[in-house]
Amino acid sequence: MADRGAGKVRLAAKSTSGPSFAVAFGGGGARGLAHIHVIEALDELGIRPAMISGSSIGAIMGAGMAAGMRGKEIRAYAARVLARRSEVAARIWRSRPAKLSEMMETGLRLGQFNAERILKEFLPPQIPDRFEDLAIPLRVTATDYYGHHLAVFEKGDLWSALAASAALPAVFRPVMREGRMLIDGGIYNPVPFDILEGTADFVIAVDVVGVPTVRSPKIPSTIEMMFGATQLMMQSIIAMKLQKRRPDILLRPSISGFRVLDFMKMDAIMAETASIGDELKRAVEAILTRDAA
């Protein structure tokens, strides 16, 4: 694959006219489309983060911003890709195993999709191959399955890091990198604001994990129960982290009515979470006013 976006010069991330901000984009599957509102608001405020971190969908959205894409560009690209089920199905089909032997070994069963192939079919060409070619520094989280700890990547191959961060169990198979078996970064750190400590004057964190909601009187399916239980686990992790340290701005858009794989409901997700952009603007304005006093 060609070096996508190679040759970009890393630009100065910190504003010379005011305080600096770092942004942590949390995991949450399709609910993470709400991150686009946050990126658009930062664009409108003229804020270029000093550092970005992300878990799962947050790592993917963060990579788009770190690559120099504006929020409107990310929104337009996502809307175009997710506009038709046939287009989504075609991209998934193109990401199938390239060799018959691999297909026979793993098939295309749920939980056996190759996350890196999927991402390369769905993400924009602006995403480069390596962290070093991003315009803004980025830290991507994954969970070291056998090492029992958080893995943070900020150098070298970007695609395997994004794939590992998004390797949600039961949907994607684990990613092997540097001799480690890696799965979804949200398992250990759903909103990785703590790894931004010391990188900027203020930290913004965006939590799109949500909680299970009542959708029908029927008992949820096994897969829905698994995803819902994961949400509860992630929320407990976030709550414990917030007891120790809180980000300067914590945003929690209204996304609990959507499921982790509801990507085809982009319009509804964007409409439901539109107010989060204004909430961020008010929070930043309050910080700047206090900082100037």
Side-chain angles (χ1 to χ4, degrees):
M1 179 178 175
D3 192 6
R4 297 156 56 125
K8 288 184 179 178
V9 177
R10 188 183 294 270
L11 303 176
K14 182 171 179 177
S15 170
T16 58
S17 59
S20 60
F21 291 83
V23 187
F25 294 110
R31 297 183 289 266
L33 291 168
H35 289 316
I36 296 173
H37 291 302
V38 173
I39 298 172
E40 289 177 331
L42 291 171
D43 290 340
E44 292 175 26
L45 290 166
I47 292 176
R48 181 187 183 82
M51 176 75 75
I52 297 171
S53 68
S55 288
S56 197
I57 186 68
I60 293 168
M61 290 292 179
M65 187 180 196
M69 295 181 72
R70 296 181 63 81
K72 289 183 178 179
E73 291 179 81
I74 297 174
R75 181 196 287 255
Y77 181 86
R80 186 167 66 252
V81 170
L82 299 174
R84 300 189 310 277
R85 291 184 182 276
S86 59
E87 173 65 17
V88 172
R91 288 173 184 260
I92 292 175
W93 176 250
R94 289 198 297 269
S95 69
R96 70 192 186 281
K99 297 179 180 178
L100 180 60
S101 58
E102 185 180 355
M103 185 178 293
M104 293 296 290
E105 178 185 352
T106 64
L108 289 176
R109 300 186 306 274
L110 189 65
Q112 292 297 317
F113 287 103
N114 183 304
E116 188 166 348
R117 284 196 187 127
I118 291 283
L119 292 183
K120 286 182 176 179
E121 281 295 335
F122 279 89
L123 297 193
Q126 288 91 331
I127 307 295
D129 285 346
R130 301 182 62 80
F131 280 91
E132 290 80 2
D133 293 319
L134 293 168
I136 299 173
L138 173 68
R139 291 176 178 169
V140 171
T141 69
T143 298
D144 187 331
Y145 186 76
Y146 288 116
H148 316 149
H149 61 76
L150 185 73
V152 180
F153 299 100
E154 56 185 323
K155 297 178 181 178
D157 182 68
L158 175 59
W159 285 91
S160 62
L162 293 178
S165 191
L168 180 66
V171 178
F172 299 111
R173 63 184 190 227
V175 172
M176 296 300 299
R177 173 168 169 155
E178 299 169 8
R180 292 181 286 177
M181 180 178 287
L182 304 167
I183 61 173
D184 192 336
I187 300 296
Y188 247 81
N189 199 336
V191 189
F193 59 85
D194 51 320
I195 67 173
L196 294 176
E197 186 173 354
T199 64
D201 298 317
F202 300 100
V203 173
I204 301 167
V206 191
D207 173 12
V208 293
V209 170
V211 292
T213 57
V214 177
R215 302 180 66 88
S216 76
K218 296 181 180 180
I219 295 176
S221 67
T222 301
I223 195 76
E224 287 174 332
M225 285 290 290
M226 186 195 69
F227 287 145
T230 301
Q231 283 179 285
L232 296 176
M233 178 196 70
M234 289 179 174
Q235 286 295 358
S236 69
I237 293 172
I238 295 169
M240 286 189 290
K241 286 175 56 182
L242 291 174
Q243 289 178 359
K244 296 180 179 180
R245 181 181 178 84
R246 297 185 67 88
D248 299 283
I249 298 174
L250 175 60
L251 303 172
R252 282 176 158 154
S254 177
I255 39 70
S256 289
F258 300 97
R259 293 173 294 187
V260 69
L261 298 179
D262 277 346
F263 286 98
M264 300 307 298
K265 296 182 179 179
M266 178 178 176
D267 289 345
I269 293 171
M270 297 301 287
E272 184 69 21
T273 60
S275 62
I276 202 68
D278 288 334
E279 183 180 338
L280 174 58
K281 292 175 187 177
R282 291 192 296 270
V284 169
E285 186 176 331
I287 282 178
L288 296 179
T289 300
R290 186 174 70 241
D291 191 63

